[in-house]
Amino acid sequence: MATLRKPTEQMQFILATDVGSTTTKSRFFHRKEGEWRFLVAGEAPTTVEAPYEDVTMGVQNAVREVEELTGHRILALDGSGIVIPYDGRVGVDLYCTTSSAGGGLQMMVAGLVKSMTAESANRAALGAGAIVMDVIAKDDGRQAYQKIQRIRSLRPDMILLAGGTDGGASSHVMEIAELIRASEPKPRLGVGYDLPIVYAGNKALRPQIKDLMSKDFALDMVDNLRPVLEVENTEPARRAVHELFMEHVMSHAPGYTKLMKWTDVDIMPTPAGEGMAMQLIADTYKENVLGVGLGGATTNVYSVVDGRFVRSVSANLGMSYSVTNVMKEAGIENIMRWIPFNLEEEEVSSRLMNKMIRPTTIPQTLEDLIVEHSVAREALRLGLAHHRTIATRLKGIQLERTVADMFDQAVEETYVKMMIIDIIAGTGGLLSHAPRRIQSMFILIDAWQPEGVTRMFQDSVFMMPHLGVLSTVYKDAAWSIFDKDCLVRLGTCIAPAGTAEPGKHVMKVRLEMPDGETYEEDLSYGEIKLLPLPERHDAKAVITPARGFDLGKGSGHAVERTIMGGVAGVLLDARGRPIPLPEESSQSREVLLNWFEALDLYPEEKLKELV
Amino acid sequence: MVDKIRRLPIFGEVFVKVGDAVAYDTTVARTEISGEPEIVKAAKIIGLEPDELPPYLLKQIGDKVEEGELIAYYTAFFGLMKKRVPSPITGIIEAISEVTGQVIIRGSPVPVEVDAYIPGKVVEVLPGEGAVIETNAAFIQGIFGIGEERHGKIHIAVDSSDEELTADHVKPEYKGDVLVGGSMVTMDALKKSVDLGVSCVVVGGVRHDDLTTFIGEEIGVAITGQEEVGITLIVTEGFGRMRMSQRTFDLLKSFEGYQASVNGATQIRAGVLRPEIIIPHEQGLERSTDGALASGMIPGTPVRIIRQPYFGAIGKVTFLPIELQQVESESHVRVLDVELDDGRVVTVPRANVEIIEE
């Protein structure tokens, strides 16, 4: 629970940290002339492992960097932590933190039917910021002994058990519960405490669940997450997961008991903070958002579509620790297809293996940078594909189908369609550190293939988790900093969906710039063009797609929009959807080079040397 | 001195005490993990509602049962209809559910032991968990490995750190040995090593394709050590053809004929774990390198470059500019200047070098 030491309107300084698995990042915020702004950042290695085994050391080191850069003392001289509140000379008024150190929150999830309650439980756990280690269900295709072996081999931080609607299935739900109990799962962080378990299933079974589980587990029972088949109510389960995370998991991680006393707000798993930030964007703009945290070990994808928030985590898709898993899952040929020059497959795979075993190295050469950007496209593509398996319509409900639907036999499972996404937002080292902003914008476009008119944002210096946790207690400050210092406006992508023969007309774009100047562009199939429109400037656009191409209003129908400018600009993408890349590698390289040159994506001379 | 913590996964009994001398295979601690449970759907087998089951149970919670022994028996129609529920395993009845009609039988406990892994002396006992073993030894850390803990006699199979370890180098007399190659191990050499019972191969590099073929799957995330491939492989430099660091090669050569404990287990995540070669010996103590490492990089510090375009090059730090500098990729990063062994001075990101321990 948050206990603020000062009313928010009187606050002047806020400190937020993220205790990551390798680095602890501190961000220092200040209210100046009534406006909250980001001041400086500090970083230090996380100290969760031996020989330190106390995360507060890393936090103090990261905060000390802030002190050195600003001359503003924050830490108590006696080492007792952070001085709160600010007394006019030292300290801050609010301190909050997220954490993913030591592997974050790792959960096992169980439900009755794989595509119904187990799927809802999975979404609830993911939404709470967890890495889901496995989903157990009655119909998951495994024999009881296989499930038992699996549960015994996992060492989760917590279990979420669902199953049955209220007053619905009971004995099958109890069978799953008995199977879990018989497997005697052990908590990851030591053997000296009871494993937390959240029960969010058929409420009629609560007495039996209590009899079965309360002796050996730290049991919490909350409202059913599928009270009826037509409703998914993940919020009570998500809240319980957060509370148990603080009470049982964090309190057993090295140094966290101390850190919990320093903070004014409950410690939140890093992805939950990131998710809050994505929701903040959606809430503020009242639009559909697709976001990503492309990290070294994991890729988190977030969607907020018509107000429904869903997070997915691909635990083994990432740009350093997991880079070879991207290669394994995507296939080396899919990475190679984004490289516009000749490199042997074995050379690329060796480089990626070497990156994986030395994950902190960075690309020095342009060639290496382009290889990493190619991997990023595939990690993002796979991350979104995974997200779409989670962001699905509720199953088990009778679908109402119209006559028009009769001709369309397959009912698409996911509702995350690129045409309805208004905003794409990215965070993570590779995107934030891209030497040219257009690179991160183009990587996101190639990977996710936005359709229609899509605004694109990215995190400036990794502070989305910090602002996410801050937004839970002080939304105005969080948004002010978010808007002015965190969200970099990359620009807008205008991309009609459709396909055609090369050279065929795709769209006509008329842009009226803020200074009154107008641009008129005609684009043919396969072409791509970048128009400059600075950040915080808008242009009025009339875009007329050719027949067979759609910008959201149907084939050939023009749209009028206000277009957001950005550090990269307005990207007119007439490559159609899906983006066509020739099968033959020399042709594919030529096509890529044309695109790269059209956008001035990389230094031209160096790129020519590589080709 | 090298310390190794030998710890059980759960609490158990420790058999050694401080001061005890231990060998590779001395049992340090032992415990039992509770047996696997077996779930028997007794009510369903008989065809009853769960709450009707109790009168037909022949065993109660806590009772021992043998495999095949009846746990429930049902007769009807004057004995004309009989249904038997035998126990699928030997164990103890742990639970009987009136909600589901399931009977849970817990199997016999599974013993787990931890051995000393290195010969040496017990310097600390971790009550109920294990012990710390200390030995005077040379310690070499690899960068990536596969395969479990083993030990064997060190044998240098090649003439130089730059030479490939081929099948011709692998001979029957190396059975049980730790075989040291140079820049790379070929697929044939790996297979022959397994066939001849070589304990471990230590080499500078390995081709990604060869490793995939050898272990039967592509490595996705580096969490290794559990592979059952009949050998432990330790790579000291990286993937591809990579000359073994001369210092590592010379050190291994100076201990040729010594017994070594090796472990290929690698975990490149939080709590990083790298493969290791521990060579216990009686020679004088070498100075620890901790002090040199703690002081960080200064002009003169010997480093190895660990990324293109100078991957594998060795040199000495000459300059550490404070300001960020732009490199070829156009990134602005902290860099350092290194004078390579061939006299060239190159600028590289600080993240792309590692300090060579002297």
Side-chain angles (χ1 to χ4, degrees):
Chain A
M1 286 297 288
T3 44
L4 304 185
R5 254 67 79 83
K6 212 183 241 185
T8 53
E9 60 277 9
Q10 290 174 23
M11 289 183 179
Q12 290 186 58
F13 292 98
I14 294 174
L15 176 73
T17 56
D18 171 60
V19 184
S21 51
T22 47
T23 316
T24 298
K25 301 129 203 142
S26 59
R27 304 289 181 258
F28 189 46
F29 310 117
H30 175 41
R31 190 205 314 248
K32 205 174 174 188
E33 292 158 9
E35 190 176 74
W36 278 100
R37 299 299 297 259
F38 161 70
L39 270 186
V40 290
E43 294 192 0
T46 294
T47 48
V48 73
E49 311 285 342
Y52 312 104
E53 292 184 336
D54 180 356
V55 284
T56 60
M57 290 171 69
V59 170
Q60 292 193 69
N61 291 338
V63 175
R64 208 161 282 131
E65 211 171 288
V66 167
E67 290 184 326
E68 283 164 12
L69 288 166
T70 57
H72 181 111
R73 187 156 70 77
I74 299 167
L75 296 165
L77 293 174
D78 61 1
S80 61
I82 288 155
V83 177
I84 306 176
Y86 172 63
D87 64 2
R89 207 171 41 87
V90 299
V92 293
D93 296 309
L94 173 66
Y95 169 55
C96 52
T97 189
T98 52
S99 169
S100 59
L105 168 61
Q106 302 189 6
M107 288 182 68
M108 190 194 96
V109 159
L112 186 52
V113 180
K114 194 178 166 200
S115 62
M116 291 192 248
T117 46
E119 194 174 282
S120 293
N122 189 27
R123 274 194 287 267
L126 288 165
I131 286 173
V132 174
M133 306 165 91
D134 205 341
V135 181
I136 305 282
K138 188 143 175 65
D139 61 340
D140 64 12
R142 291 175 283 192
Q143 297 294 319
Y145 78 92
Q146 290 171 314
K147 290 177 204 177
I148 288 168
Q149 280 174 353
R150 178 69 179 143
I151 297 170
R152 282 165 75 89
S153 70
L154 296 174
R155 293 191 76 152
D157 292 319
M158 203 184 296
I159 294 175
L160 173 60
L161 170 63
T165 52
D166 282 342
S170 56
S171 68
H172 289 312
V173 179
M174 286 308 293
E175 281 179 20
I176 296 272
E178 285 171 10
L179 182 130
I180 292 172
R181 190 185 172 280
S183 306
E184 297 182 335
K186 298 279 182 285
R188 184 167 61 106
L189 299 170
V191 290
Y193 70 101
D194 292 341
L195 178 66
I197 184 163
V198 177
Y199 176 68
N202 181 355
K203 70 179 178 194
L205 287 174
R206 285 185 186 178
Q208 290 93 323
I209 291 284
K210 192 176 172 197
D211 285 349
L212 185 72
M213 298 288 201
S214 60
K215 189 168 157 279
D216 301 317
F217 296 88
L219 174 68
D220 193 1
M221 295 193 278
V222 298
D223 286 352
N224 193 347
L225 48 76
R226 283 295 279 275
V228 290
L229 276 180
E230 292 75 19
V231 174
E232 181 177 273
N233 176 28
T234 56
E235 189 53 24
R238 192 194 63 74
R239 260 201 316 268
V241 167
H242 275 182
E243 276 163 26
L244 289 173
F245 176 66
M246 283 292 287
E247 206 176 313
H248 292 273
V249 183
M250 282 286 95
S251 59
H252 292 94
Y256 278 93
T257 319
K258 202 157 58 164
L259 188 64
M260 281 155 71
K261 287 186 189 138
W262 292 6
T263 58
D264 299 317
V265 187
D266 279 354
I267 300 173
M268 190 180 269
T270 305
E274 214 165 70
M276 293 275 179
M278 298 294 176
Q279 284 171 283
L280 196 57
I281 302 175
D283 282 353
T284 307
Y285 287 104
K286 306 272 181 276
E287 285 187 320
N288 293 334
V289 174
L290 188 63
V292 63
L294 176 61
T298 59
T299 295
N300 289 281
V301 177
Y302 308 85
S303 62
V304 188
V305 174
D306 297 333
R308 187 184 183 202
F309 169 70
V310 170
R311 163 184 174 251
S312 64
V313 54
S314 303
N316 291 322
L317 290 180
M319 291 308 302
S320 59
Y321 298 103
S322 311
V323 71
T324 45
N325 203 55
V326 178
M327 173 168 72
K328 183 179 174 180
E329 288 196 16
I332 182 80
E333 63 285 354
N334 275 325
I335 291 171
M336 300 295 297
R337 71 189 170 130
W338 297 109
I339 300 174
F341 42 81
N342 198 12
L343 262 184
E344 294 294 320
E345 269 188 20
E346 176 64 26
E347 171 65 23
V348 173
S349 58
S350 287
R351 283 192 197 187
L352 298 182
M353 290 298 278
N354 283 322
K355 166 85 179 179
M356 181 263 290
I357 57 177
R358 293 181 170 105
T360 54
T361 60
I362 54 178
Q364 175 172 5
T365 63
L366 182 63
E367 186 179 79
D368 246 8
L369 182 78
I370 291 175
V371 169
E372 286 205 3
H373 286 177
S374 307
V375 179
R377 286 174 171 88
E378 288 304 303
L380 289 165
R381 180 179 67 82
L382 293 171
L384 178 58
H386 181 209
H387 184 81
R388 284 180 161 142
T389 66
I390 304 208
T392 57
R393 64 183 177 83
L394 290 185
K395 287 166 208 130
I397 304 171
Q398 202 169 0
L399 282 176
E400 279 184 28
R401 306 189 71 178
T402 63
V403 175
D405 294 332
M406 304 290 276
F407 299 99
D408 185 14
Q409 288 298 311
V411 175
E412 283 203 67
E413 297 294 324
T414 186
Y415 55 84
V416 178
K417 308 277 173 55
M418 294 318 295
M419 191 60 89
I420 60 164
I421 296 299
D422 307 299
I423 292 174
I424 287 177
T427 179
L430 181 128
L431 297 172
S432 298
H433 296 146
R436 298 182 183 190
R437 295 290 196 195
I438 180 66
Q439 291 165 358
S440 46
M441 183 167 173
F442 198 52
I443 289 167
L444 283 165
I445 291 172
D446 280 347
W448 282 1
Q449 309 200 9
E451 296 174 0
V453 179
T454 315
R455 286 188 276 170
M456 308 201 56
F457 294 90
Q458 89 171 42
D459 194 355
S460 59
V461 282
F462 191 74
M463 51 176 156
M464 281 200 189
H466 306 73
L467 296 176
V469 65
L470 177 62
S471 75
T472 61
V473 289
Y474 195 0
K475 198 171 170 181
D476 292 346
W479 176 252
S480 173
I481 301 157
F482 205 57
D483 181 44
K484 294 185 180 68
D485 302 310
C486 171
L487 275 188
V488 176
R489 285 141 179 89
L490 292 171
T492 301
C493 173
I494 300 175
T499 55
E501 291 297 313
K504 289 275 179 194
H505 175 68
V506 169
M507 65 172 158
K508 182 192 268 295
V509 182
R510 187 174 186 279
L511 276 184
E512 191 185 323
M513 295 301 188
D515 58 5
E517 195 180 348
T518 54
Y519 286 94
E520 288 213 7
E521 298 284 348
D522 267 304
L523 278 91
S524 303
Y525 188 65
E527 256 191 302
I528 194 161
K529 203 167 267 183
L530 187 67
L531 302 177
L533 177 62
E535 213 178 354
R536 298 186 188 279
H537 285 79
D538 291 337
K540 285 183 188 148
V542 181
I543 314 145
T544 315
R547 266 186 70 186
F549 285 88
D550 183 10
L551 279 159
K553 288 201 165 176
S555 167
H557 287 273
V559 296
E560 282 188 45
R561 286 287 188 84
T562 301
I563 302 293
M564 178 189 83
V567 288
V570 180
L571 200 147
L572 309 178
D573 185 353
R575 296 178 295 173
R577 295 293 184 264
I579 293 173
L581 259 180
E583 294 273 319
E584 209 275 309
S585 58
S586 64
Q587 285 176 16
S588 153
R589 287 202 288 263
E590 197 184 317
V591 167
L592 278 177
L593 267 182
N594 285 339
W595 294 341
F596 287 10
E597 281 171 11
L599 301 179
D600 196 20
L601 200 63
Y602 297 105
E604 200 182 338
E605 288 303 312
K606 273 283 163 204
L607 187 60
K608 276 187 183 150
E609 281 173 30
L610 291 171
V611 177
Chain B
M1 300 300 273
V2 172
D3 285 347
K4 288 307 287 182
I5 299 173
R6 308 297 290 164
R7 186 178 256 157
L8 289 167
I10 58 169
F11 286 112
E13 193 182 353
V14 180
F15 298 112
V16 293
K17 57 185 187 305
V18 173
D20 282 1
V22 291
Y24 297 102
D25 52 1
T26 306
T27 302
V28 169
R30 182 185 296 143
T31 190
E32 287 184 335
I33 293 175
S34 67
E36 298 247 336
E38 189 77 40
I39 298 175
V40 180
K41 297 185 172 184
K44 195 175 169 193
I45 292 169
I46 296 174
L48 296 171
E49 288 300 314
D51 59 351
E52 295 170 341
L53 178 67
Y56 304 100
L57 286 168
L58 303 175
K59 300 283 179 184
Q60 297 305 320
I61 292 172
D63 286 355
K64 282 185 182 165
V65 285
E66 296 292 324
E67 184 180 336
E69 192 179 350
L70 292 188
I71 49 179
Y73 181 64
Y74 172 83
T75 61
F77 297 110
F78 312 104
L80 289 173
M81 191 176 143
K82 293 173 185 169
K83 294 230 173 130
R84 296 178 173 84
V85 183
S87 172
I89 55 165
T90 298
I92 290 168
I93 306 283
E94 185 177 271
I96 298 165
S97 171
E98 288 190 19
V99 183
T100 61
Q102 297 190 134
V103 176
I104 293 166
I105 305 152
R106 179 71 56 184
S108 306
V110 183
V112 176
E113 280 188 359
V114 169
D115 65 17
Y117 171 52
I118 53 169
K121 205 169 73 176
V122 176
V123 291
E124 188 187 344
V125 168
L126 310 166
E129 290 188 271
V132 181
I133 317 292
E134 187 181 83
T135 190
N136 186 31
F139 181 85
I140 297 167
Q141 199 172 53
I143 191 80
F144 179 82
I146 55 163
E148 59 204 353
E149 292 176 349
R150 291 167 192 269
H151 62 92
K153 194 169 73 180
I154 294 175
H155 185 89
I156 311 294
V158 292
D159 292 330
S160 77
S161 60
D162 204 18
E163 191 179 344
E164 270 182 28
L165 182 70
T166 63
D168 293 343
H169 292 112
V170 185
K171 300 188 173 126
E173 56 266 35
Y174 302 152
K175 184 177 180 191
D177 284 359
V178 172
L179 208 57
V180 179
S183 59
M184 204 172 85
V185 57
T186 64
M187 188 64 193
D188 288 345
L190 269 177
K191 281 184 182 159
K192 195 170 171 191
S193 298
V194 175
D195 291 345
L196 295 178
V198 170
S199 181
C200 172
V201 165
V202 183
V203 74
V206 64
R207 290 179 75 243
H208 168 249
D209 281 358
D210 288 348
L211 183 73
T212 304
T213 311
F214 184 63
I215 59 177
E217 63 170 328
E218 203 170 335
I219 295 269
V221 181
I223 298 173
T224 69
Q226 304 297 317
E227 300 76 18
E228 290 176 358
V229 286
I231 198 165
T232 293
L233 170 67
I234 296 178
V235 174
T236 60
E237 312 303 317
F239 286 85
R241 191 188 151 85
M242 299 249 164
R243 193 185 79 154
M244 184 184 285
S245 126
Q246 195 58 41
R247 188 175 175 277
T248 307
F249 188 77
D250 292 345
L251 188 62
L252 286 164
K253 202 167 181 183
S254 69
F255 285 106
E256 187 159 18
Y258 280 67
Q259 288 285 330
S261 297
V262 294
N263 187 358
T266 309
Q267 187 180 318
I268 307 166
R269 281 282 167 114
V272 64
L273 185 70
R274 297 280 187 184
E276 62 188 15
I277 304 157
I278 299 171
I279 314 165
H281 63 80
E282 300 296 324
Q283 297 171 18
L285 296 178
E286 278 188 28
R287 72 186 171 86
S288 162
T289 57
D290 290 355
L293 285 179
S295 63
M297 273 182 285
I298 51 170
T301 303
V303 291
R304 178 178 19 243
I305 301 175
I306 52 173
R307 186 131 186 186
Q308 280 76 15
Y310 310 106
F311 201 145
I314 286 169
K316 278 191 165 47
V317 175
T318 57
F319 182 49
L320 294 136
I322 297 166
E323 302 78 29
L324 301 183
Q325 289 195 14
Q326 194 180 50
V327 291
E328 185 199 300
S329 66
E330 293 189 330
S331 293
H332 288 82
V333 294
R334 294 192 82 183
V335 298
L336 47 71
D337 289 351
V338 183
E339 184 179 350
L340 303 181
D341 282 354
D342 62 12
R344 278 182 300 161
V345 176
V346 297
T347 301
V348 290
R350 288 193 196 185
N352 293 358
V353 300
E354 60 188 16
I355 296 174
I356 299 174
E357 300 175 35
E358 288 195 309

